[in-house]
Amino acid sequence: PPPMNWFPPGPAGRRPLALLVLLVLLLRTAHGSECCRFCTTGKPCGDSCIAEGAACHQAAGGGCACSCCKRCSKGKACGDGCIPKGAACHRPRGCACNATA
């Protein structure tokens, strides 16, 4: 089979732009995947979740488990997202949490 052409034919000046766009998309994807697991019960410890009363023997911040998928600094947590502070939440408990000052 012929080799795969990652860039459409055209002026050579477009190739650096295509590489730049690809690099930006890869960086955005990597940045958005900070948490490997959301702890809806218990608390994060390393790369996993443990019971709330259990002692964590991992270094603080040494893992990728998180207690929140979204921190609500404007408004309040509701389910997996944020709503205005005065609004009533009608969603079941999710992974969003209120930001602390």
Side-chain angles (χ1 to χ4, degrees):
M4 189 170 223
N5 185 5
W6 291 97
F7 302 101
R14 289 188 185 174
R15 288 185 184 199
L17 179 61
L19 286 173
L20 180 63
V21 169
L22 181 62
L23 179 62
V24 168
L25 289 173
L26 288 172
L27 288 174
R28 286 188 63 195
T29 302
H31 178 69
S33 58
E34 296 168 359
C35 294
C36 59
R37 172 176 278 176
F38 297 111
C39 302
T40 55
T41 59
K43 63 182 180 182
C45 178
D47 293 340
S48 61
C49 304
I50 61 173
E52 194 65 45
C56 179
H57 301 288
Q58 300 288 326
C64 60
C66 300
S67 57
C68 295
C69 61
K70 182 169 183 103
R71 294 197 186 279
C72 302
S73 57
K74 296 178 181 177
K76 63 182 180 180
C78 179
D80 293 340
C82 305
I83 61 173
K85 285 188 180 189
C89 181
H90 301 289
R91 297 182 194 140
R93 182 174 181 202
C95 59
C97 63
N98 296 318
T100 55

Coordinates of all heavy atoms in Angstrom, one line a residue:
P1 N 0.8 -1.2 0.0 CA 0.0 0.0 0.0 C 0.9 1.3 0.0 O 2.0 1.3 0.6 CB -0.8 -0.1 1.3 CG -0.1 -1.1 2.1 CD 0.7 -2.0 1.2
P2 N 0.4 2.3 -0.6 CA 1.1 3.6 -0.6 C 1.2 4.2 0.8 O 0.3 3.9 1.6 CB 0.4 4.5 -1.6 CG -1.0 3.9 -1.6 CD -0.9 2.4 -1.3
P3 N 2.3 4.9 1.1 CA 2.4 5.5 2.4 C 1.2 6.5 2.7 O 0.7 7.1 1.7 CB 3.7 6.2 2.4 CG 4.1 6.4 1.0 CD 3.4 5.3 0.2
M4 N 0.8 6.6 3.9 CA -0.3 7.5 4.3 C 0.2 9.0 4.2 O 1.2 9.3 4.7 CB -0.7 7.2 5.7 CG -2.0 7.9 6.1 SD -2.5 7.2 7.7 CE -4.2 7.0 7.4
N5 N -0.6 9.8 3.6 CA -0.3 11.2 3.4 C -1.1 12.0 4.5 O -2.3 12.1 4.4 CB -0.7 11.7 2.0 CG -0.3 13.1 1.8 OD1 0.4 13.8 2.6 ND2 -0.7 13.7 0.7
W6 N -0.4 12.4 5.5 CA -1.0 13.1 6.6 C -1.5 14.5 6.3 O -2.3 15.1 7.0 CB -0.1 13.1 7.8 CG 0.1 11.8 8.4 CD1 1.2 11.0 8.2 CD2 -0.7 11.1 9.3 NE1 1.1 9.8 8.8 CE2 -0.1 9.8 9.6 CE3 -1.9 11.4 9.9 CZ2 -0.7 8.9 10.4 CZ3 -2.5 10.4 10.8 CH2 -1.9 9.2 11.0
F7 N -0.9 15.1 5.3 CA -1.3 16.5 4.9 C -1.8 16.5 3.4 O -1.2 15.8 2.6 CB 0.0 17.4 5.0 CG 0.6 17.4 6.4 CD1 1.7 16.6 6.7 CD2 0.0 18.1 7.4 CE1 2.2 16.6 8.0 CE2 0.5 18.1 8.7 CZ 1.6 17.3 8.9
P8 N -2.8 17.2 3.2 CA -3.3 17.3 1.8 C -2.3 18.0 0.9 O -1.5 18.8 1.4 CB -4.6 18.1 1.9 CG -4.5 18.8 3.2 CD -3.6 18.0 4.1
P9 N -2.3 17.6 -0.4 CA -1.4 18.3 -1.3 C -1.7 19.8 -1.3 O -2.8 20.2 -1.2 CB -1.6 17.6 -2.6 CG -2.9 16.8 -2.5 CD -3.1 16.7 -1.0
G10 N -0.7 20.6 -1.4 CA -0.9 22.0 -1.5 C 0.4 22.7 -1.2 O 1.5 22.1 -1.1
P11 N 0.4 24.0 -1.1 CA 1.6 24.7 -0.8 C 2.3 24.2 0.5 O 1.7 23.9 1.5 CB 1.2 26.2 -0.6 CG -0.2 26.3 -1.2 CD -0.8 24.9 -1.1
A12 N 3.6 24.2 0.4 CA 4.4 23.7 1.6 C 4.2 24.6 2.8 O 4.4 24.2 3.9 CB 5.9 23.7 1.2
G13 N 3.7 25.8 2.6 CA 3.5 26.7 3.7 C 2.4 26.3 4.7 O 2.3 26.7 5.8
R14 N 1.5 25.4 4.2 CA 0.4 25.0 5.0 C 0.8 23.9 6.0 O 0.1 23.7 7.0 CB -0.7 24.5 4.1 CG -1.4 25.5 3.4 CD -2.6 25.0 2.7 NE -3.2 26.0 1.8 CZ -4.2 25.8 1.0 NH1 -4.7 24.6 0.9 NH2 -4.8 26.8 0.3
R15 N 1.9 23.2 5.7 CA 2.3 22.1 6.6 C 2.6 22.5 8.0 O 2.1 21.9 9.0 CB 3.4 21.3 6.0 CG 3.0 20.5 4.8 CD 4.0 19.6 4.3 NE 3.5 19.0 3.1 CZ 4.0 17.9 2.5 NH1 5.1 17.4 3.1 NH2 3.5 17.4 1.5
P16 N 3.4 23.6 8.2 CA 3.6 24.1 9.6 C 2.3 24.4 10.3 O 2.2 24.2 11.5 CB 4.5 25.3 9.4 CG 5.2 25.0 8.1 CD 4.2 24.4 7.2
L17 N 1.4 25.0 9.6 CA 0.1 25.4 10.2 C -0.6 24.1 10.7 O -1.2 24.1 11.8 CB -0.7 26.2 9.3 CG -2.1 26.7 9.8 CD1 -1.9 27.5 11.0 CD2 -2.9 27.4 8.7
A18 N -0.7 23.1 9.8 CA -1.3 21.9 10.2 C -0.7 21.2 11.4 O -1.4 20.7 12.3 CB -1.4 20.9 9.0
L19 N 0.6 21.3 11.4 CA 1.3 20.7 12.6 C 1.0 21.5 13.9 O 0.8 20.9 14.9 CB 2.8 20.7 12.4 CG 3.4 19.7 11.4 CD1 4.8 19.9 11.1 CD2 3.1 18.3 11.9
L20 N 0.9 22.8 13.8 CA 0.6 23.6 14.9 C -0.8 23.3 15.4 O -1.0 23.2 16.6 CB 0.8 25.1 14.6 CG 0.4 26.1 15.7 CD1 1.4 25.9 16.8 CD2 0.5 27.5 15.1
V21 N -1.7 23.2 14.5 CA -3.1 22.9 14.9 C -3.2 21.5 15.6 O -3.8 21.4 16.7 CB -4.1 22.9 13.7 CG1 -5.4 22.3 14.1 CG2 -4.2 24.3 13.2
L22 N -2.4 20.5 15.1 CA -2.4 19.2 15.7 C -1.8 19.3 17.1 O -2.3 18.7 18.0 CB -1.6 18.3 14.8 CG -1.5 16.8 15.3 CD1 -2.9 16.2 15.4 CD2 -0.6 16.1 14.3
L23 N -0.7 20.0 17.2 CA -0.1 20.1 18.5 C -1.0 20.8 19.6 O -1.1 20.3 20.7 CB 1.2 20.9 18.4 CG 2.0 21.2 19.7 CD1 2.5 19.8 20.2 CD2 3.2 22.1 19.4
V24 N -1.7 21.8 19.2 CA -2.6 22.5 20.1 C -3.7 21.6 20.6 O -4.1 21.5 21.7 CB -3.2 23.8 19.5 CG1 -4.3 24.3 20.3 CG2 -2.1 24.8 19.3
L25 N -4.3 20.8 19.6 CA -5.3 19.8 20.0 C -4.8 18.8 20.9 O -5.5 18.4 21.9 CB -5.9 19.2 18.7 CG -6.8 20.1 17.9 CD1 -7.1 19.4 16.6 CD2 -8.0 20.6 18.6
L26 N -3.6 18.3 20.7 CA -3.0 17.3 21.6 C -2.8 17.8 23.0 O -3.1 17.1 24.0 CB -1.7 16.7 21.0 CG -1.9 15.8 19.8 CD1 -0.5 15.5 19.2 CD2 -2.6 14.5 20.2
L27 N -2.3 19.0 23.1 CA -2.1 19.6 24.4 C -3.4 19.9 25.2 O -3.4 19.7 26.4 CB -1.3 21.0 24.2 CG 0.2 20.8 23.8 CD1 0.8 22.1 23.6 CD2 1.0 20.0 24.9
R28 N -4.4 20.3 24.5 CA -5.7 20.5 25.1 C -6.3 19.2 25.6 O -6.8 19.2 26.7 CB -6.7 21.2 24.2 CG -6.4 22.7 23.9 CD -7.5 23.3 23.2 NE -8.7 23.3 23.9 CZ -9.9 23.5 23.4 NH1 -10.0 23.8 22.1 NH2 -11.0 23.5 24.1
T29 N -6.1 18.2 24.9 CA -6.6 16.9 25.3 C -5.9 16.4 26.6 O -6.4 15.9 27.5 CB -6.5 15.8 24.2 OG1 -7.2 16.3 23.1 CG2 -7.0 14.5 24.6
A30 N -4.5 16.5 26.6 CA -3.7 16.1 27.7 C -4.0 16.9 28.9 O -4.1 16.4 30.0 CB -2.3 16.2 27.3
H31 N -4.3 18.2 28.8 CA -4.5 19.1 29.9 C -5.9 18.7 30.5 O -6.1 18.8 31.7 CB -4.5 20.5 29.5 CG -4.8 21.5 30.6 ND1 -4.0 21.7 31.7 CD2 -5.9 22.2 30.9 CE1 -4.5 22.5 32.5 NE2 -5.7 22.9 32.0
G32 N -6.9 18.4 29.7 CA -8.2 18.1 30.3 C -8.3 16.8 31.0 O -9.4 16.5 31.5
S33 N -7.3 15.9 30.9 CA -7.4 14.6 31.5 C -6.6 14.5 32.8 O -5.8 13.6 33.0 CB -7.0 13.6 30.5 OG -5.7 13.8 30.1
E34 N -6.8 15.5 33.7 CA -6.0 15.5 34.9 C -6.4 14.4 35.9 O -5.5 13.9 36.6 CB -6.2 16.9 35.6 CG -5.6 18.0 34.8 CD -6.1 19.4 35.4 OE1 -6.9 19.4 36.4 OE2 -5.7 20.4 34.8
C35 N -7.6 14.0 36.0 CA -8.1 13.0 36.9 C -8.3 11.7 36.1 O -8.9 11.6 35.1 CB -9.4 13.4 37.5 SG -9.2 14.9 38.6
C36 N -7.8 10.6 36.8 CA -8.0 9.3 36.2 C -9.3 8.6 36.8 O -9.8 7.7 36.2 CB -6.8 8.4 36.4 SG -6.4 8.2 38.1
R37 N -9.7 9.1 37.9 CA -10.8 8.5 38.6 C -11.5 9.5 39.5 O -10.8 10.3 40.2 CB -10.4 7.3 39.4 CG -11.5 6.7 40.3 CD -11.1 5.5 41.0 NE -11.3 4.4 40.1 CZ -10.9 3.2 40.3 NH1 -10.4 2.9 41.5 NH2 -11.1 2.2 39.4
F38 N -12.8 9.6 39.5 CA -13.6 10.5 40.4 C -14.1 9.7 41.5 O -14.8 8.7 41.3 CB -14.7 11.2 39.6 CG -14.1 12.1 38.5 CD1 -14.4 11.8 37.2 CD2 -13.4 13.2 38.8 CE1 -13.9 12.6 36.2 CE2 -12.9 14.0 37.8 CZ -13.1 13.7 36.5
C39 N -13.8 10.1 42.7 CA -14.3 9.4 43.9 C -15.6 10.0 44.3 O -15.7 11.0 45.0 CB -13.3 9.5 45.0 SG -11.6 8.9 44.6
T40 N -16.7 9.3 44.0 CA -18.0 9.7 44.4 C -18.3 9.2 45.8 O -19.2 9.8 46.5 CB -19.1 9.2 43.5 OG1 -19.0 7.7 43.4 CG2 -18.9 9.8 42.1
T41 N -17.7 8.2 46.3 CA -17.8 7.8 47.7 C -16.4 7.6 48.2 O -15.5 7.3 47.4 CB -18.5 6.4 47.8 OG1 -17.8 5.4 47.1 CG2 -20.0 6.5 47.3
G42 N -16.1 7.9 49.4 CA -14.8 7.8 50.0 C -14.0 9.1 49.6 O -14.5 10.1 49.4
K43 N -12.7 8.9 49.5 CA -11.8 10.0 49.2 C -10.7 9.5 48.3 O -10.3 8.3 48.2 CB -11.2 10.6 50.5 CG -10.3 9.6 51.3 CD -9.9 10.3 52.6 CE -9.0 9.3 53.4 NZ -8.6 9.9 54.6
P44 N -10.1 10.5 47.5 CA -9.0 10.1 46.6 C -7.7 9.7 47.4 O -7.4 10.4 48.4 CB -8.8 11.3 45.7 CG -9.4 12.4 46.4 CD -10.4 11.9 47.3
C45 N -7.0 8.8 46.9 CA -5.7 8.4 47.5 C -4.9 7.8 46.4 O -5.1 6.7 45.9 CB -5.9 7.4 48.6 SG -4.3 6.8 49.3
G46 N -3.9 8.5 45.9 CA -3.0 8.1 44.8 C -3.9 8.0 43.5 O -4.5 9.0 43.1
D47 N -3.9 6.8 42.9 CA -4.7 6.7 41.6 C -6.0 6.0 41.9 O -6.7 5.6 40.9 CB -3.8 5.8 40.7 CG -2.6 6.5 40.2 OD1 -2.5 7.8 40.3 OD2 -1.7 5.9 39.7
S48 N -6.4 5.9 43.1 CA -7.7 5.2 43.4 C -8.4 5.9 44.5 O -8.0 6.9 45.0 CB -7.5 3.7 43.7 OG -6.7 3.6 44.9
C49 N -9.6 5.3 44.9 CA -10.4 5.9 46.0 C -10.3 4.9 47.2 O -10.3 3.7 47.0 CB -11.8 6.0 45.5 SG -12.0 7.0 44.0
I50 N -10.4 5.5 48.4 CA -10.4 4.7 49.6 C -11.6 5.1 50.5 O -12.1 6.2 50.2 CB -9.1 4.7 50.4 CG1 -8.8 6.2 50.8 CG2 -7.9 4.2 49.5 CD1 -7.5 6.3 51.7
A51 N -11.9 4.4 51.5 CA -12.9 4.8 52.4 C -12.6 6.1 53.1 O -11.5 6.4 53.3 CB -13.1 3.7 53.5
E52 N -13.7 6.8 53.4 CA -13.5 8.2 54.0 C -12.6 8.1 55.3 O -11.8 9.0 55.5 CB -14.9 8.8 54.3 CG -14.8 10.3 54.6 CD -14.4 11.1 53.4 OE1 -14.9 10.9 52.3 OE2 -13.6 12.0 53.7
G53 N -12.8 7.1 56.1 CA -12.1 7.0 57.4 C -10.7 6.4 57.3 O -10.0 6.4 58.3
A54 N -10.4 5.8 56.1 CA -9.1 5.1 56.0 C -7.9 6.1 55.8 O -8.1 7.2 55.4 CB -9.2 4.2 54.8
A55 N -6.8 5.7 56.2 CA -5.6 6.5 56.1 C -4.9 6.3 54.7 O -4.8 5.2 54.3 CB -4.5 6.2 57.2
C56 N -4.6 7.4 54.1 CA -3.9 7.3 52.8 C -2.4 7.4 53.0 O -1.9 8.2 53.6 CB -4.4 8.5 51.9 SG -3.6 8.5 50.3
H57 N -1.7 6.4 52.4 CA -0.3 6.3 52.5 C 0.5 6.8 51.3 O 1.6 6.5 51.1 CB 0.1 4.9 52.9 CG -0.5 4.4 54.2 ND1 -0.2 4.9 55.4 CD2 -1.6 3.5 54.4 CE1 -0.9 4.3 56.3 NE2 -1.8 3.5 55.7
Q58 N -0.2 7.5 50.4 CA 0.4 8.1 49.2 C 0.7 9.5 49.5 O 0.1 10.2 50.3 CB -0.6 8.0 48.0 CG -1.1 6.6 47.7 CD 0.0 5.8 47.0 OE1 0.8 6.4 46.2 NE2 0.0 4.5 47.2
A59 N 1.7 10.0 48.8 CA 2.1 11.4 49.0 C 1.0 12.3 48.5 O 0.3 12.0 47.5 CB 3.4 11.7 48.1
A60 N 0.7 13.4 49.2 CA -0.3 14.3 48.8 C -0.1 14.8 47.4 O 0.9 15.3 47.0 CB -0.4 15.5 49.8
G61 N -1.2 14.7 46.6 CA -1.1 15.1 45.2 C -0.3 14.2 44.3 O 0.0 14.5 43.2
G62 N 0.0 13.0 44.9 CA 0.9 12.1 44.1 C 0.1 11.2 43.2 O 0.7 10.3 42.6
G63 N -1.1 11.3 43.1 CA -1.9 10.4 42.2 C -2.8 11.2 41.3 O -2.8 12.5 41.3
C64 N -3.6 10.5 40.5 CA -4.5 11.2 39.6 C -6.0 11.1 40.0 O -6.9 11.5 39.2 CB -4.3 10.6 38.2 SG -4.6 8.9 38.0
A65 N -6.3 10.5 41.1 CA -7.7 10.4 41.6 C -8.2 11.7 42.1 O -7.4 12.5 42.7 CB -7.9 9.3 42.6
C66 N -9.4 12.1 41.9 CA -10.0 13.4 42.3 C -11.3 13.2 43.0 O -12.0 12.2 42.7 CB -10.2 14.3 41.1 SG -8.7 14.7 40.2
S67 N -11.6 14.2 43.8 CA -12.9 14.1 44.5 C -14.0 14.9 43.7 O -15.2 14.7 43.9 CB -12.9 14.6 45.9 OG -12.4 16.0 45.9
C68 N -13.5 15.7 42.7 CA -14.5 16.6 41.9 C -14.1 16.5 40.5 O -13.0 16.5 40.1 CB -14.4 18.0 42.3 SG -14.9 18.4 44.0
C69 N -15.2 16.5 39.6 CA -14.9 16.5 38.2 C -15.1 18.0 37.7 O -14.6 18.3 36.6 CB -15.9 15.7 37.4 SG -17.7 16.1 37.7
K70 N -15.8 18.8 38.5 CA -15.9 20.2 38.2 C -16.1 21.0 39.4 O -16.9 20.7 40.3 CB -17.2 20.4 37.3 CG -17.4 21.9 36.8 CD -18.4 21.9 35.8 CE -18.6 23.4 35.3 NZ -17.9 23.6 34.1
R71 N -15.3 22.1 39.6 CA -15.3 22.9 40.8 C -16.2 24.2 40.4 O -15.9 24.9 39.5 CB -14.0 23.4 41.2 CG -13.2 22.2 41.7 CD -12.0 22.7 42.6 NE -11.1 21.6 43.0 CZ -11.4 20.8 44.0 NH1 -12.4 21.0 44.7 NH2 -10.6 19.8 44.3
C72 N -17.2 24.4 41.2 CA -18.1 25.5 40.9 C -17.7 26.8 41.7 O -18.0 26.8 42.9 CB -19.5 25.1 41.2 SG -20.0 23.6 40.3
S73 N -17.1 27.7 41.1 CA -16.7 29.0 41.8 C -17.8 30.0 41.7 O -17.9 30.9 42.5 CB -15.4 29.5 41.3 OG -15.4 29.7 39.9
K74 N -18.6 29.9 40.6 CA -19.7 30.8 40.4 C -20.9 29.9 40.5 O -21.0 29.0 39.8 CB -19.7 31.5 39.1 CG -18.5 32.4 38.9 CD -18.5 33.1 37.5 CE -17.3 34.0 37.3 NZ -17.3 34.5 36.0
G75 N -21.8 30.1 41.4 CA -23.0 29.3 41.6 C -22.6 28.1 42.6 O -21.8 28.3 43.4
K76 N -23.3 27.0 42.4 CA -23.1 25.9 43.3 C -23.2 24.6 42.5 O -23.7 24.5 41.4 CB -24.2 25.9 44.4 CG -25.6 25.8 43.9 CD -26.6 25.8 45.0 CE -28.0 25.7 44.5 NZ -29.0 25.8 45.6
A77 N -22.7 23.5 43.1 CA -22.6 22.2 42.5 C -24.0 21.6 42.5 O -24.8 21.8 43.4 CB -21.7 21.3 43.3
C78 N -24.3 20.9 41.3 CA -25.6 20.2 41.2 C -25.3 19.1 40.2 O -25.1 19.3 39.0 CB -26.6 21.2 40.6 SG -28.2 20.3 40.4
G79 N -25.3 17.9 40.7 CA -25.0 16.7 39.8 C -23.6 16.8 39.3 O -22.6 16.9 40.1
D80 N -23.4 16.7 38.0 CA -22.1 16.8 37.4 C -21.7 18.2 36.9 O -20.7 18.3 36.2 CB -21.9 15.7 36.3 CG -22.0 14.3 36.8 OD1 -21.8 14.1 38.0 OD2 -22.3 13.4 36.0
G81 N -22.5 19.2 37.3 CA -22.3 20.5 36.8 C -22.6 21.6 37.8 O -22.7 21.3 39.0
C82 N -22.7 22.8 37.4 CA -22.9 24.0 38.2 C -24.2 24.7 37.8 O -24.6 24.7 36.7 CB -21.7 25.0 38.1 SG -20.1 24.2 38.5
I83 N -24.9 25.2 38.8 CA -26.1 26.0 38.6 C -26.0 27.3 39.4 O -25.1 27.4 40.3 CB -27.4 25.2 39.0 CG1 -27.3 24.9 40.5 CG2 -27.5 23.9 38.2 CD1 -28.6 24.2 41.1
P84 N -26.8 28.3 39.1 CA -26.8 29.5 39.9 C -27.0 29.3 41.4 O -27.8 28.4 41.7 CB -27.9 30.4 39.3 CG -28.1 29.8 37.9 CD -27.8 28.4 38.0
K85 N -26.5 30.1 42.2 CA -26.6 29.9 43.7 C -28.0 29.9 44.2 O -28.3 29.1 45.0 CB -25.8 31.0 44.4 CG -24.3 30.8 44.4 CD -23.6 31.8 45.3 CE -22.1 31.5 45.2 NZ -21.3 32.2 46.1
G86 N -28.9 30.7 43.6 CA -30.3 30.7 44.1 C -31.2 29.6 43.5 O -32.3 29.5 43.9
A87 N -30.7 28.8 42.5 CA -31.5 27.8 41.9 C -31.6 26.6 42.7 O -30.7 26.3 43.5 CB -30.9 27.5 40.5
A88 N -32.6 25.8 42.5 CA -32.8 24.5 43.2 C -32.2 23.4 42.4 O -32.5 23.4 41.2 CB -34.3 24.3 43.5
C89 N -31.5 22.5 43.0 CA -30.9 21.4 42.3 C -31.9 20.2 42.3 O -32.4 19.8 43.3 CB -29.6 21.0 43.0 SG -28.8 19.6 42.1
H90 N -32.1 19.7 41.1 CA -33.0 18.6 40.9 C -32.3 17.3 40.4 O -33.0 16.4 39.9 CB -34.2 18.9 40.0 CG -35.0 20.1 40.6 ND1 -35.8 20.0 41.7 CD2 -35.1 21.4 40.2 CE1 -36.4 21.2 41.9 NE2 -35.9 22.1 41.0
R91 N -31.0 17.4 40.4 CA -30.2 16.2 39.9 C -29.7 15.4 41.1 O -29.5 15.9 42.2 CB -29.0 16.7 39.1 CG -29.5 17.5 37.9 CD -28.3 17.9 37.1 NE -28.7 18.9 36.1 CZ -28.0 20.0 35.8 NH1 -26.8 20.2 36.4 NH2 -28.4 20.8 34.9
P92 N -29.4 14.1 40.9 CA -28.8 13.3 41.9 C -27.4 13.8 42.2 O -26.8 14.4 41.3 CB -28.9 11.9 41.4 CG -29.0 12.0 39.9 CD -29.7 13.3 39.7
R93 N -26.8 13.5 43.3 CA -25.5 13.8 43.7 C -24.5 13.3 42.6 O -24.6 12.2 42.1 CB -25.1 13.2 45.0 CG -23.7 13.7 45.4 CD -23.3 13.2 46.8 NE -22.0 13.6 47.0 CZ -21.2 13.1 47.9 NH1 -21.6 12.1 48.6 NH2 -20.0 13.6 48.1
G94 N -23.7 14.2 42.1 CA -22.7 13.8 41.1 C -21.3 14.1 41.5 O -21.0 14.2 42.7
C95 N -20.4 14.4 40.5 CA -19.0 14.6 40.8 C -18.6 16.1 40.9 O -17.5 16.4 41.2 CB -18.2 13.9 39.8 SG -18.5 14.5 38.1
A96 N -19.5 17.0 40.7 CA -19.2 18.5 40.9 C -19.2 18.8 42.3 O -19.9 18.2 43.2 CB -20.2 19.3 40.1
C97 N -18.4 19.8 42.7 CA -18.3 20.3 44.1 C -18.1 21.8 44.1 O -17.7 22.4 43.1 CB -17.1 19.6 44.8 SG -15.5 20.0 44.2
N98 N -18.5 22.4 45.2 CA -18.3 23.8 45.4 C -16.9 24.2 45.7 O -16.2 23.5 46.4 CB -19.2 24.3 46.6 CG -20.7 24.1 46.3 OD1 -21.2 24.3 45.2 ND2 -21.4 23.6 47.3
A99 N -16.4 25.2 45.0 CA -15.0 25.7 45.2 C -14.9 26.3 46.6 O -15.8 26.9 47.1 CB -14.7 26.7 44.2
T100 N -13.8 26.1 47.2 CA -13.5 26.7 48.5 C -12.6 27.9 48.3 O -11.8 27.9 47.5 CB -12.8 25.7 49.5 OG1 -11.6 25.2 48.8 CG2 -13.8 24.5 49.8
A101 N -12.8 28.9 49.1 CA -12.1 30.1 49.0 C -10.7 30.0 49.5 O -10.2 29.1 50.1 CB -12.8 31.2 49.7

